[in-house]
Amino acid sequence: MLPITERVLAPGVVLRAVQTKKFKTSMLGVTFLEPLREETASLNALLPKVLRRGTQAHPDMESLSAALDDLYGGGIEPIIRKKGEVQCVGFWGSFLDDAFVPEGSQILESAAGLFGEILLHPAGDGTSFLPDYVESEKANLIDKIRSEINDKLQYSLARLRRLMCQGEAYGIDKLGSEDQARAITGEALFARYREMLETAPVYLYYCGSADADRVEAAFRAALTDLPQTRRQPVPETLSVAEPKGEVRRFTDAMDVTQGKLTMGFRVGGGFRDRETVARFFLLNAIYGGSTNSKLFLNVREKLSLCYFASSSLAMNKGVMLVYSGVEFANFQKAENEILAQLEACQKGEITPEELESARRSVVGSLRSSLDAQGRLEEYWLNRFVTGTSYTPEELAAEIENVTLAELVEAARKIQLDSVYTLRGKEG
């Protein structure tokens, strides 16, 4: 089991450090956790892009890139993620681990220092961002929001989430909307930046060979100018245990040749405890989350009703989504069979072979995350957002012990809430 250290550097500022010598690179991350809101989603999404354009010491991309090149070709990238109803705003970086640099050289402190520059000393006069950077990145954000319609599957999933979760923050896109982005001014963006620095909880992450004391000292030095304020707690995600009424149906028509059928289910409320997470991880793999799942083998392969059919879970939100590519004429048949496969799980019609195949798949995926720094960082961010701390190895061990009866109990909590179809235009 990899050694994990968690330390509170200041109220609302938490460091999680993973000590390992298995990677040639070390990974650093800084994430601010904001509640997902219509009025701030696009502002938050734009912030790291503008910050990454330059600092007071390295005022443009060229000089910032040169500073990264000096750190043996390291990289720092802005990243926006959505975890339940939490918007995760920040940066992650990858640098050559100190164990692989010439003796006497130290990358960690310099890399953390560059993170601090980008976060706390943006290019400009200290009272505003450079207008050219704001306008340039604002145009890029609008283009990115517009381009989401080009990926019809992701567009369909986003539409389902928004329609199914009307009145819930989960329906908001992590980038906000084009109208929100277009309305952003430099003054509003800088005000949002100052507010986030002062109020948002901060999650710091490190994975590499350095010991925890050295990692803590590096981050403390880099973030000396971070406001020492009383921060908000990690935002909560509202979970809805069951549908509020009859199944709701939504349809859009576009110039497409392949239909998209997406279905949203409530799974009895959000959950975080290791036992429930293990059961639903395994159940999802059996139902639609693996290439040996019931949806894949029956709806796609055996009956040829879909080009693809899969399921995914947002556990702390308590939502399961099924997504598939379907011929227009097969929408109803595909929906019926997707529900039939769920009913089979609810009746316990899961063969020992299906159960063990899914178990091996999920356990193998968790254990392989220990060999991929990006997946490991994502895993621990999920744990921080949900306020849990069990390791991938502990979750894998829990999955090994899940019984068929426990899977059936979990499956019976799942209820269809909404159905969204993307169809072709008539004629």
Side-chain angles (χ1 to χ4, degrees), residues 21 102 232 301-302 320 329 427:
K21 295 182 179 180
Q232 298 295 321
E301 295 290 294
K302 182 179 179 181
M320 181 176 76

Side-chain angles (χ1 to χ4, degrees), residues 128-195:
S128 63
F129 294 123
L130 294 179
D132 287 350
Y133 290 176
V134 174
E135 291 306 311
S136 174
E137 294 302 331
K138 177 177 164 180
N140 290 339
L141 177 61
I142 291 171
D143 287 344
K144 188 171 179 60
I145 292 171
R146 285 176 175 173
S147 70
E148 290 184 339
I149 198 172
N150 296 327
D151 185 332
K152 296 301 187 291
L153 173 58
Q154 293 305 316
Y155 173 79
S156 297
L157 285 167
R159 285 285 287 156
L160 174 63
R161 283 190 289 263
R162 176 167 286 276
L163 294 166
M164 173 179 169
C165 299
Q166 297 175 56
E168 303 170 43
Y170 189 67
I172 301 170
D173 190 271
K174 68 180 181 180
L175 300 181
S177 68
E178 182 177 341
D179 287 343
Q180 292 167 353
R182 192 177 299 283
I184 291 174
T185 64
E187 293 77 11
L189 187 66
F190 197 81
R192 176 87 279 271
Y193 165 67
R194 295 305 310 174
E195 183 179 13

Side-chain angles (χ1 to χ4, degrees), residues 277-344:
V277 168
R279 294 171 190 180
F280 274 94
F281 252 38
L282 185 54
L283 176 62
N284 183 62
I286 292 169
Y287 179 52
S290 72
T291 54
N292 289 318
S293 68
K294 287 182 176 293
L295 294 186
F296 185 88
L297 294 178
N298 292 289
V299 185
R300 181 188 185 277
E301 295 290 294
K302 182 179 179 181
L303 299 175
S304 299
L305 290 174
C306 302
Y307 297 102
F308 60 87
S310 299
S311 64
S312 64
L313 278 165
M315 296 192 186
N316 64 332
K317 178 60 181 175
V319 165
M320 181 176 76
L321 302 181
V322 171
Y323 41 97
S324 58
V326 186
E327 292 284 353
F328 303 137
N330 286 336
F331 274 122
Q332 193 58 56
K333 290 179 182 178
E335 179 184 327
N336 292 344
E337 191 57 35
I338 287 168
L339 293 174
Q341 295 305 319
L342 174 59
E343 185 178 2

